[in-house]
């Protein structure tokens, strides 16, 4: 087993790694490092939890050259604002012993302040695609000075619709550059990006796509309806081992409703985060959860990717995700860095197909547990679950509107042209000319 000492690292980086308590590179860190040091483009197939952030940061930082002007040489693009902050923090830890400035920029925050910060100098910029493009087009970020471009979570970025922004960014980049990308899955879309913008990249793979981390215990509960889900959730959350729970729901509206529910059941123990919340609220919810102020964090698939919160003891899928691979991303939030984790999924009858496709992707089945005895099986359906009542359909046939000229002569009756007549005309036709009243 090699150690970080075996890699061609410098003292400042080795010291920072040692402060972090990291001694051995993870497989993807080792492989990405040698590929990048040899000057190659790199395509990394890796999920979060494999150490991929440090895998791209270490060689980028090792290859960085000091400049007094602090013009960015490294650009990291990530899909969410939370990831910008997380990557920035990781950079700050790794560069404790370097004179190095990292700046994070993302949408939804004041662009003027970000411009001013960037003007003050940055050695690396971490950005979301839209905001990056704005700052590149107004030349605040000098794209031609970038030597290394990292795109993290490419598959997620494409599914969020960022392809046009990515293509514009690539167009603004100098042709002589080193490009790295990381993706949890390889789709045709991702392949197209690689074919167009990468030069004979070296492929490094951390874990076979779709294989859930071994240290996650998966459990499924078959539930008949939402109210039973709520009863089961109350029961599970009352267990002392539920120390830090990430609770995934299918929609932002449901996340808010669950929050109200838990505020009643367990006041002050839960926070909620989703894309409709203001950025400050999002950061605060994440912070409260990471720091242990809140035991439970309710979220949508916004947090199923990338975010590294240590010590998540349980992931609960209140709803089955609507994309197969999101199941794997969600459960990957627990069982991180060699810790054991438990992922619990509430399964409705209608979820059978999705569960089958998740199991096929994982090549593993989700063991089903019997409903705990003290959980009440509710028969009360919420309005959304009530069967759709079909109103009796009208027997009157509505003729399809025909446009364009008629294909047949109008019948005599239909040839009558409607002429609007005033009431006075109608009265005259019926009763003749009115007689004048004589005095
Ligand atoms: P990532 O896949 O980049 O989200 O990293 C997952 C977690 O593993 C993060 O908390 C990292 O700080 C941690 N980590 C990264 N590299 C190592 C390493 N070589 N040894 C131990 N932990 C690591």
């Amino acid at each position: 087993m090699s150690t970080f000492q075996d890699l061609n690292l410098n003292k400042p980086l080795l010291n920072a790694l040692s402060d972090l308590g990291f001694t051995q590179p993870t497989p993807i860190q080792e492989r990405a490092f040698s590929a990048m040091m040899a000057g190659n483009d790199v395509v990394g197939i890796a999920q979060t939890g494999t150490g991929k952030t440090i895998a791209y940061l270490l060689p980028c930082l090792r290859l960085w050259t000091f400049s007094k002007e602090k013009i960015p040489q490294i650009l990291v693009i990530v899909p969410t604002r939370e990831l910008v902050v997380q990557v920035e923090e990781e950079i700050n830890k790794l560069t404790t012993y370097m004179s190095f400035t990292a700046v994070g920029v993302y949408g939804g925050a004041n662009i003027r302040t970000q411009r001013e910060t960037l003007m003050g100098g940055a050695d690396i910029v971490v950005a979301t695609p839209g905001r990056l493009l704005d700052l590149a087009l107004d030349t605040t970020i000098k794209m031609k000075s970038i030597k290394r471009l990292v795109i993290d979570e490419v598959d997620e970025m494409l599914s969020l619709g960022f392809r046009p922004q990515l293509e514009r960014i690539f167009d603004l980049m100098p042709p002589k550059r080193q490009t790295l990308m990381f993706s949890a899955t390889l789709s045709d879309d991702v392949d197209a990006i690689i074919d167009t913008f990468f030069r004979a990249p070296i492929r490094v793979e951390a874990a076979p796509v779709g294989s859930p981390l071994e240290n996650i215990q998966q459990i499924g509960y078959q539930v008949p309806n939402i109210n039973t889900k709520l009863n089961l959730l109350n029961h599970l959350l009352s267990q002392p081992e539920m120390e830090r729970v990430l609770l995934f729901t299918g929609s932002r509206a449901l996340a808010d409703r669950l929050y109200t529910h838990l505020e009643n059941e367990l006041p002050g123990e839960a926070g909620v985060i989703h894309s409709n919340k203001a950025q400050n609220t999002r950061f605060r919810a994440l912070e409260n959860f990471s720091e242990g102020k809140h035991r439970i964090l309710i979220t949508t698939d916004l947090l199923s990717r990338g975010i590294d919160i240590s010590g998540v003891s349980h992931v609960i899928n209140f709803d089955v995700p609507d994309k197969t691979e999101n199941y794997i991303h969600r459960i990957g939030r627990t069982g991180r860095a060699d810790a054991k984790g438990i992922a619990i999924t509430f399964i409705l009858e209608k979820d059978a197909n999705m569960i089958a496709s998740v199991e096929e992707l994982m090549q593993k089945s989700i063991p089903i547990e019997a409903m705990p005895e003290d959980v009440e099986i509710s028969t009360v359906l919420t309005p959304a679950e009530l069967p759709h009542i079909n109103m009796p359909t009208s027997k009157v046939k509505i003729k399809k509107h025909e446009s364009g000229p008629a294909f047949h002569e109008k019948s005599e009756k239909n040839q009558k042209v409607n002429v609007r007549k005033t009431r006075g005309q109608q009265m005259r036709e019926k009763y003749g000319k009115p007689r004048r009243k004589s005095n």
Side-chain angles (χ1 to χ4, degrees), residues 4 17 20-26 28-29 46-56 58 83 86 90 93 152-153 306-310 333 336-338:
F4 281 117
L17 285 166
L20 285 168
F22 301 164
T23 48
Q24 286 176 338
T26 64
I28 195 151
Q29 287 168 356
Q47 308 161 6
T48 355
T50 51
K52 70 187 167 84
T53 317
I54 291 185
Y56 63 73
L58 272 188
L83 260 176
Q86 189 178 295
E90 199 112 352
K93 286 186 214 153
D152 197 6
E153 309 263 346
I307 297 293
D308 176 37
I309 305 164
S310 61
R333 300 308 93 206
R336 315 207 56 188
D338 285 337

Side-chain angles (χ1 to χ4, degrees), residues 138-156:
D138 74 9
T139 67
T140 307
I141 298 175
K142 312 260 176 309
M143 297 295 271
K144 295 286 176 228
S145 66
I146 303 291
K147 294 184 181 155
R148 270 160 210 101
L149 168 69
V150 182
I151 315 172
D152 197 6
E153 309 263 346
V154 176
D155 47 348
E156 175 66 356

